Amino acid sequence: MTRARRLGRLLVEVLPPFVAALLLLPWVISYGRAWPWQPSTIDLQVYVYAVRDMLAGLNIFETTTPFWNLYFIYPPIAAVLMVPLAFGPYAFWQVVWTLALVGAQQTVLRRCGVQRGWALGLLGVAVVLAVEPIRTTLGYGQVNTLLMALVVADLLPDRPGPDGVLPRRRIPQGTLIGLAAAIKLTPMLFVVFAFLAGRRRVAVTGVVSFLAFTGLGAVLLFSETVEFFFGLSGGDTRTASPLYTGNQSLLGVFFRLWDTSRTTTLLGLAVAGIVALLGTLVAAHWWRRGEQVFAVALVGLCTCLASPLSWTHHYVWILPMAVAVLRSRIPRWARLLAGAWVLWVCACLPLAALPYGGGRERTFDALQQLVANLGPVLGVLLVAGLAWQLVVSARTERSAAVTARR
């Protein structure tokens, strides 16, 4: 394919969802304006203000944004990597950031096996319009899709090589996972996954990459790095409580069903950790079975279940999960359950149908609790069901082997 044809194909794949995103952006988050075009990308605004304060010698964790009063809560290396945001008009970065998010979304779809060309471009438009985590990540100007694209780029080849051999890479595999984990800690679960799946060099590279990027942040912003790892990473995030309906993590489920005590917190985190480890073990099994897209999607789901705070827009991992539901050879019941979870997350009924904020979650009746917590529960059922099937299969194979020896 000539360079001109490659460029034409790229435009066909990226331009339609990019235009759709630009048109939709002012309507996603409150107080946006369509004319003059002024989307309310409030998280991107946090990044911009934090980077400007950092360059002025101020503490990035004391930065707040006008009107919304939001704080920067990422590791300091994230601010270092976002330095270009300090230069140029804000509207310019809104457009560029949107293009980067759409490009990342299309890259994930392509690497998950979606047909290239107009099919990918039109599917990208549908994703922007209909998939709530992707749409709100665009609306907020968040980083979720970018981090997912880093992980996917490390684990799923862009084009299958002969006999399933991965194409030659320009950087060591695992580097991008470590970078994603340095920016936001939850992708570290993919390092555990790589180790369990037998990709130990990838896991080691991921750890080294994480330490290198984190170390760079510590060299440049030492006090802020200490503050993050001994404060913000321990739960002092200065955001909404885990009780909030928009928090679709397992800890949020425990808070809404019981209370917000320390005992409930520890129990919720322990259960979330067990589910994440179990899901990662199951994902490693399916990776070895050749279902790489499903395996990556399952680990992504587990990162959201395990994190103390997983807002609805963090669930961008339904993108590879949706492709896996349609294309993988996992059990039929698992495809139906995973498909139901994907549709539920896309609809985002917890925020669309329920009152929330100000502790209203404490007064939920049984039906409201079901709506608020069904998403994480479906995720746990998927992980538990796959784990149980794996145990049953192992027992059956063991019994068959014993019988054969007799």
Side-chain angles (χ1 to χ4, degrees):
M1 183 177 290
T2 65
R3 181 176 298 179
R5 290 189 65 184
R6 286 199 300 269
L7 178 60
R9 185 178 65 178
L10 182 63
L11 289 175
V12 162
E13 293 171 350
V14 175
L15 191 58
F18 176 53
V19 172
L22 290 179
L23 294 175
L24 181 67
L25 215 57
W27 309 98
V28 179
I29 308 300
S30 300
Y31 304 106
R33 290 192 299 177
W35 188 261
W37 188 79
Q38 191 174 346
S40 188
T41 49
I42 59 178
D43 284 342
L44 178 60
Q45 187 182 50
V46 172
Y47 308 154
V48 170
Y49 271 73
V51 168
R52 289 175 179 173
D53 281 357
M54 177 186 69
L55 294 178
L58 303 176
N59 187 334
I60 57 175
F61 296 131
E62 295 178 359
T63 298
T64 58
T65 57
F67 184 72
W68 295 95
N69 293 318
L70 298 177
Y71 290 90
F72 185 86
I73 60 173
Y74 294 86
I77 185 60
V80 173
L81 295 172
M82 293 177 183
V83 161
L85 295 178
F87 306 98
Y90 182 58
F92 167 78
W93 286 113
Q94 287 179 302
V95 173
V96 171
W97 198 264
T98 301
L99 177 60
L101 289 172
V102 170
Q105 161 198 313
Q106 297 302 87
T107 297
V108 170
L109 289 172
R110 186 182 74 236
R111 287 178 177 268
C112 288
V114 174
Q115 181 180 349
R116 299 202 62 171
W118 277 109
L120 180 56
L122 294 177
L123 180 60
V125 173
V127 166
V128 168
L129 297 177
V131 179
E132 193 273 349
I134 297 293
R135 185 176 66 248
T136 50
T137 288
L138 286 163
Y140 284 116
Q142 258 281 350
V143 296
N144 307 310
T145 314
L146 295 173
L147 299 182
M148 176 175 62
L150 291 175
V151 172
V152 168
D154 244 358
L155 293 175
L156 301 178
D158 194 12
R159 293 179 301 275
D163 301 323
V165 177
L166 291 171
R168 186 175 180 180
R169 302 181 61 89
R170 296 179 180 177
I171 59 175
Q173 195 174 9
T175 303
L176 299 180
I177 294 175
L179 172 59
I183 295 172
K184 192 172 185 177
L185 301 180
T186 51
M188 277 299 290
L189 188 60
F190 283 94
V191 172
V192 179
F193 163 72
F195 182 83
L196 294 175
R199 310 298 300 276
R200 297 185 180 180
R201 179 175 294 181
V202 174
V204 171
T205 304
V207 172
V208 172
S209 174
F210 169 78
L211 293 176
F213 282 108
T214 302
L216 176 61
V219 169
L220 298 175
L221 298 170
F222 180 77
S223 61
E224 287 88 343
T225 300
V226 172
E227 181 178 352
F228 176 83
F229 282 99
F230 289 93
L232 291 170
S233 63
D236 181 19
T237 59
R238 294 171 292 183
T239 61
S241 164
L243 177 70
Y244 168 56
T245 306
N247 178 28
Q248 292 291 291
S249 71
L250 278 180
L251 182 61
V253 174
F254 274 77
F255 270 40
R256 288 187 289 271
L257 291 179
W258 284 282
D259 54 41
T260 58
S261 66
R262 179 175 176 80
T263 300
T264 301
T265 300
L266 294 176
L267 179 61
L269 292 175
V271 171
I274 292 171
V275 170
L277 180 58
L278 195 61
T280 305
L281 284 166
V282 172
H285 164 77
W286 285 103
W287 177 276
R288 291 189 291 269
R289 291 280 300 271
E291 299 297 337
Q292 281 87 1
V293 175
F294 178 66
V296 170
L298 192 60
V299 179
L301 161 62
C302 288
T303 64
C304 293
L305 293 176
S307 175
L309 298 174
S310 291
W311 310 136
T312 58
H313 58 267
H314 291 164
Y315 276 85
V316 292
W317 292 100
I318 68 170
L319 213 55
M321 183 67 81
V323 176
V325 165
L326 297 174
R327 300 171 63 96
S328 66
R329 293 170 293 178
I330 60 176
R332 186 170 183 271
W333 69 264
R335 291 173 62 189
L336 292 174
L337 183 56
W341 175 73
V342 167
L343 293 175
W344 181 263
V345 174
C346 284
C348 195
L349 288 184
L351 294 182
L354 298 178
Y356 53 82
R360 294 182 181 88
E361 292 84 355
R362 299 182 190 278
T363 64
F364 281 177
D365 58 30
L367 180 59
Q368 289 173 319
Q369 289 285 11
L370 177 64
V371 173
N373 301 314
L374 183 58
V377 169
L378 288 176
V380 172
L381 289 176
L382 179 62
V383 170
L386 289 167
W388 176 250
Q389 186 174 58
L390 188 58
V391 170
V392 171
S393 298
R395 287 179 177 176
T396 302
E397 292 174 3
R398 192 180 301 116
S399 298
V402 170
T403 303
R405 285 198 297 269
R406 290 177 180 174

